[in-house]
Amino acid sequence: MNSNVLQTPIVYLKGVGPNRAETLQSELGIHTYQDLINLFPNRYIDKTQYYKIGELQRTSSDIQIVGKIVNIKTVEQKKGKRLVAKFIDDTGEMELVWFRGQKWIRENLKLNIPYVIFGKVNWFNGTFSMPHPEMELWEDHEKGLKIYMQPVYPSTEKLANKGITNRVTNKLIQQLFLETKGRFKETLSPGLISELSLISKAEALFNIHFPKNQELLAKAQFRLKFEELFYIQLQLISKNLMHKQKIKGYNFDKVGTLFKTFYEQHLPFELTNAQKRVIKEIRADLGSNAQMNRLLQGDVGSGKTIVALMTMLLAIDNGFQACLMAPTEILANQHFMGIKDLLGNIGVNTALLTGSVKKSARKLIHEQLENGELHILIGTHALLEDKVAYNNLGLAIVDEQHRFGVAQRAKLWHKNDIPPHILVMTATPIPRTLAMSLYGDLDISTIDELPPGRKPIKTVHRYDSNRLKVFQFIRDEIKKGRQVYVVYPLIQESEALDYKDLMDGYESIARDFPMPDYQISIVHGKMKPADKDYEMERFVKGETQIMVATTVIEVGVNVPNASVMIIESAERFGLSQLHQLRGRVGRGADQSFCILMTGHKLSLDSKTRLETMVGTNDGFQIAEVDLKLRGPGDLMGTQQSGVLNLKIADIIKDNDILKTARYHALKILREDISLQKHPVILHAYTQLVKYKNIWNYIS
Ligand code: ADP
Ligand code: MG
């Protein structure tokens, strides 16, 4: 098809005109012929079946029946009147009902002649009825072009009010096929079409709008879904491969003394197989001459820190500095202490830089960073300041990357002549399928195994009315020497209210757990960093048994002796947040518990969230449920990325098609990155890059 024809403004299509064109544009974003072809039906109504009145069910689907009208009457009702026709076949009788257009209908309906009627069936007062049925004489129905599967297009109230009903949309698309003769150019290569037994583009477009039967519809859907996902993957993967070709990276070709000494003498435990695997993946990147851009995902407690540390040692062994950025002071602090502890006297200079580091100390850090004395810098956003300049930064690690924006990550790129290698870590696991679409331009490593010997955390749901029992349980656990977290939600919009909840909660706990038998820490966002640290310290050292906190403790904090996590108003937390919070316990050898406290009134979604938490400890499974509850649009990063504005494929349901698409995109690009041997794909790809729209390439 000549591309100009498909770019024709929709106003020129017969049957559209200026008014409808404006409505189509504003309501459905349809500007051109091409946009209209790509308006895919939401669902289809099966017209291959004819029902008998005697076998009607009380469901609400649209159905088709053959029968005759035997009489018509007007029935007065409170407001206006309705027209009622008695409709029969050889198995029973039902009513057809009209509230509008009664005069016209009455004059035109024929009695005792077979009709095919179509519509939704209602059940009322022991009779089936069909309001405003679509009707056609059986004779005409037999003669005419049969539409077997009627497409139902996306609609809005405004469209309907302006007379652009489903029928009209359907007619317009028919007209479009007439004008273009349905000759659409192929957009996938002959190789892919034969390998996957795909139907042609033209056939797919015809059958998506006017499917002849279920089988052809399925083929059309498969072909178009595949195509959509294939081109998205092609874009992401080619970006990634180009990046590797273009962005030179420092080559860490040595596995030096530090790495070896640490591995042999300082490692406090055996690495899990998953940890070993991801370290291997990272090492391959670092020695490839290209800049590493890798996402390391692993459930809470899966041991990402040690992987980060060993990667940093590789950098230092090769004469570079490394930095590790964390989203909160508490976490940066803990990383700093933990890493210093692990390194012992191995001879690596490490410093901590956060907002609360004093000016003089800060100056010293800046100096040592620039003259190369410092090997590792750990800190918060403070690391991003322009004043922080390195002698030779070779690796930047970002922990809990979802807390940082893309722009912040990019800032790290400019901290050396050639961009340093980047490793971002997250404990908010993204289902793999989604990660593939979201972060196709990042490489992904996954730690899918917890260190051995962890007892699964026992999770229960308790109502506020059972608080006394819960308190008794806390007392028992503390008696055994354990420590307890009590967490309150803090959601920005209602901060003042939440803060009051927290303080009320704290007071009530202080009453039930009085000094001197019990010591309580409290940490929340309004405290000065120094006070927070002090309280946190006391809890870490075991001087306090209870930590009352807001979600500031959500990220990363590690207190192995804490074995009970109480989450107040648990219904107000999202699933991934609940899972993160729960991950604060279960870090030691003792049996750990997570108690989700709620009121009695719970929404359906809240119930699902609580049941999921009680039912599983697996972060990936939880992420899948989260995705289903919230939809991908709400997940972090998806909005900006725009890759999820899919027209026909469904990122969750069409998981297997996504995998196939990714496999083929990768295979093609690996062999032929410039797509010279795939002219059809190259053409489509060039179009979609040019128009920034995946569906703008049929031409
Ligand atoms: P996260 O992935 O949540 O950041 P951490 O790196 O904080 O997890 O590790 C959680 C805990 O598990 C730490 O106490 C760490 O020392 C311990 N750990 C990590 N790897 C192993 C391992 N292979 N064997 C035993 N314990 C481990
Ligand atoms: Mg961590």
Side-chain angles (χ1 to χ4, degrees), residues 195-240:
E195 194 176 341
L196 294 163
S197 316
L198 299 173
I199 58 174
S200 73
K201 178 66 166 249
E203 236 183 311
L205 285 174
F206 184 81
N207 279 289
I208 205 79
H209 291 294
F210 312 108
K212 292 203 190 93
N213 54 44
Q214 293 281 6
E215 198 194 336
L216 272 167
L217 174 61
K219 283 195 166 156
Q221 285 178 329
F222 182 86
R223 141 99 213 203
L224 295 171
K225 284 174 177 183
F226 173 82
E227 182 163 359
E228 181 168 51
L229 295 168
F230 173 80
Y231 278 106
I232 288 175
Q233 290 300 318
L234 197 77
Q235 257 180 312
L236 289 167
I237 295 167
S238 93
K239 229 171 62 198
N240 178 310

Side-chain angles (χ1 to χ4, degrees), residues 298-305 331 334-335 399-400 425-427 555-558 584 587:
D299 210 344
V300 272
S302 62
K304 294 183 292 294
T305 315
L331 188 57
Q334 197 160 53
H335 273 318
D399 195 14
E400 306 301 344
M425 309 198 291
T426 181
V555 181
V557 180
N558 193 21
R584 296 309 104 212
R587 304 191 147 228

Side-chain angles (χ1 to χ4, degrees), residues 62-76:
D62 291 39
I63 54 160
Q64 194 169 236
I65 308 168
V66 186
K68 294 183 234 178
I69 293 174
V70 288
N71 67 52
I72 304 178
K73 60 177 190 253
T74 299
V75 180
E76 297 289 336

Side-chain angles (χ1 to χ4, degrees), residues 354-633:
T354 63
S356 47
V357 170
K358 298 246 160 49
K359 220 175 168 183
S360 53
R362 197 177 272 253
K363 220 177 128 218
L364 188 66
I365 290 176
H366 289 166
E367 269 171 34
Q368 293 183 331
L369 209 55
E370 276 189 83
N371 68 24
E373 261 175 74
L374 256 185
H375 301 119
I376 293 180
L377 183 63
I378 297 170
T380 52
H381 293 85
L383 298 195
L384 295 173
E385 284 170 16
D386 292 332
K387 274 177 289 183
V388 181
Y390 297 78
N391 179 41
N392 197 7
L393 182 69
L395 168 71
I397 301 183
V398 184
D399 195 14
E400 306 301 344
Q401 74 95 30
H402 62 285
R403 296 286 182 111
F404 295 100
V406 177
Q408 288 170 315
R409 216 195 316 151
K411 251 192 157 170
L412 290 166
W413 282 46
H414 304 296
K415 294 282 184 185
N416 205 351
D417 305 335
I418 298 181
H421 295 293
I422 308 272
L423 180 68
V424 296
M425 309 198 291
T426 181
T428 306
I430 317 155
R432 189 144 191 105
T433 48
L434 188 61
M436 285 192 316
S437 313
L438 272 184
Y439 297 112
D441 60 332
L442 287 180
D443 292 300
I444 301 171
S445 287
T446 306
I447 306 186
D448 50 7
E449 176 188 1
L450 291 181
R454 298 261 171 87
K455 288 202 184 84
I457 301 161
K458 283 192 182 146
T459 304
V460 294
H461 170 208
R462 293 284 178 267
Y463 292 106
D464 291 336
S465 46
N466 282 328
R467 186 167 298 279
L468 286 182
K469 272 199 188 142
V470 172
F471 277 8
Q472 187 52 46
F473 176 76
I474 297 179
R475 254 178 234 116
D476 294 345
E477 287 298 303
I478 291 176
K479 216 178 272 163
K480 292 187 208 157
R482 316 272 187 271
Q483 289 165 284
V484 179
Y485 291 104
V486 185
V487 177
Y488 289 83
L490 204 140
I491 295 160
Q492 233 121 44
E493 301 104 68
S494 52
E495 209 185 316
L497 203 78
D498 291 334
Y499 184 68
K500 188 176 172 300
D501 281 355
L502 173 77
M503 294 324 280
D504 288 352
Y506 173 71
E507 275 162 29
S508 115
I509 288 167
R511 264 197 310 277
D512 276 82
F513 297 86
M515 295 207 281
D517 291 352
Y518 299 96
Q519 301 289 331
I520 305 173
S521 285
I522 178 163
V523 171
H524 57 77
K526 287 193 174 173
M527 289 162 71
K528 287 206 195 80
D531 296 339
K532 260 194 254 179
D533 287 351
Y534 172 76
E535 291 281 325
M536 198 63 220
E537 258 325 286
R538 293 211 305 148
F539 189 66
V540 172
K541 285 190 192 144
E543 292 169 11
T544 60
Q545 296 93 16
I546 301 177
M547 160 64 79
V548 176
T550 56
T551 42
V552 289
I553 64 136
E554 176 193 343
V555 181
V557 180
N558 193 21
V559 183
N561 191 50
S563 64
V564 182
M565 166 63 65
I566 315 269
I567 304 176
E568 296 285 349
S569 306
E571 72 273 24
R572 290 177 56 193
F573 290 89
L575 253 182
S576 77
Q577 216 178 6
L578 288 172
H579 181 62
Q580 292 277 314
L581 283 169
R582 177 168 61 180
R584 296 309 104 212
V585 298
R587 304 191 147 228
D590 307 311
Q591 176 62 56
S592 292
F593 302 90
C594 174
I595 304 178
L596 306 168
M597 304 291 298
T598 74
H600 276 279
K601 248 194 176 160
L602 293 171
S603 72
L604 204 61
D605 276 7
S606 302
K607 271 188 200 147
T608 308
R609 287 198 295 268
L610 295 165
E611 278 164 16
T612 307
M613 285 295 294
V614 171
T616 180
N617 273 306
D618 179 343
F620 282 86
Q621 222 172 315
I622 288 171
E624 298 274 359
V625 177
D626 202 24
L627 186 63
K628 276 178 199 150
L629 284 180
R630 295 193 297 165

Side-chain angles (χ1 to χ4, degrees), residues 223-375:
R223 141 99 213 203
L224 295 171
K225 284 174 177 183
F226 173 82
E227 182 163 359
E228 181 168 51
L229 295 168
F230 173 80
Y231 278 106
I232 288 175
Q233 290 300 318
L234 197 77
Q235 257 180 312
L236 289 167
I237 295 167
S238 93
K239 229 171 62 198
N240 178 310
L241 293 178
M242 298 284 211
H243 176 96
K244 281 186 187 151
Q245 281 190 347
K246 273 200 224 127
I247 314 280
K248 216 177 127 23
Y250 296 112
N251 198 355
F252 296 179
D253 50 3
K254 269 197 299 222
V255 177
T257 341
L258 280 176
F259 188 90
K260 280 192 201 130
T261 313
F262 180 80
Y263 191 78
E264 283 156 18
Q265 293 166 24
H266 292 249
L267 201 59
F269 37 66
E270 169 93 16
L271 293 178
T272 62
N273 286 330
Q275 285 169 320
K276 286 183 194 158
R277 191 188 66 240
V278 304
I279 290 174
K280 231 187 236 161
E281 288 165 359
I282 291 169
R283 271 176 55 183
D285 280 4
L286 298 177
S288 72
N289 283 316
Q291 186 216 18
M292 172 171 78
N293 228 336
R294 190 169 278 277
L295 172 74
L296 172 58
Q297 52 172 359
D299 210 344
V300 272
S302 62
K304 294 183 292 294
T305 315
I306 202 86
V307 174
L309 176 57
M310 292 178 71
T311 309
M312 292 197 279
L313 292 179
L314 278 173
I316 303 166
D317 269 338
N318 284 274
F320 291 89
Q321 294 167 301
C323 70
L324 169 59
M325 184 164 78
T328 62
E329 290 215 7
I330 293 179
L331 188 57
N333 215 350
Q334 197 160 53
H335 273 318
F336 177 65
M337 311 277 272
I339 284 175
K340 257 179 76 159
D341 212 37
L342 281 165
L343 288 172
N345 56 4
I346 199 168
V348 171
N349 294 329
T350 310
L352 175 71
L353 182 66
T354 63
S356 47
V357 170
K358 298 246 160 49
K359 220 175 168 183
S360 53
R362 197 177 272 253
K363 220 177 128 218
L364 188 66
I365 290 176
H366 289 166
E367 269 171 34
Q368 293 183 331
L369 209 55
E370 276 189 83
N371 68 24
E373 261 175 74
L374 256 185
H375 301 119

Side-chain angles (χ1 to χ4, degrees), residues 660-678:
T660 313
R662 183 171 175 84
Y663 168 81
H664 286 284
L666 200 64
K667 193 167 139 217
I668 288 172
L669 285 170
R670 282 229 173 101
E671 289 162 8
D672 178 24
I673 189 157
S674 57
L675 296 173
Q676 293 306 315
K677 286 181 230 139
H678 297 84

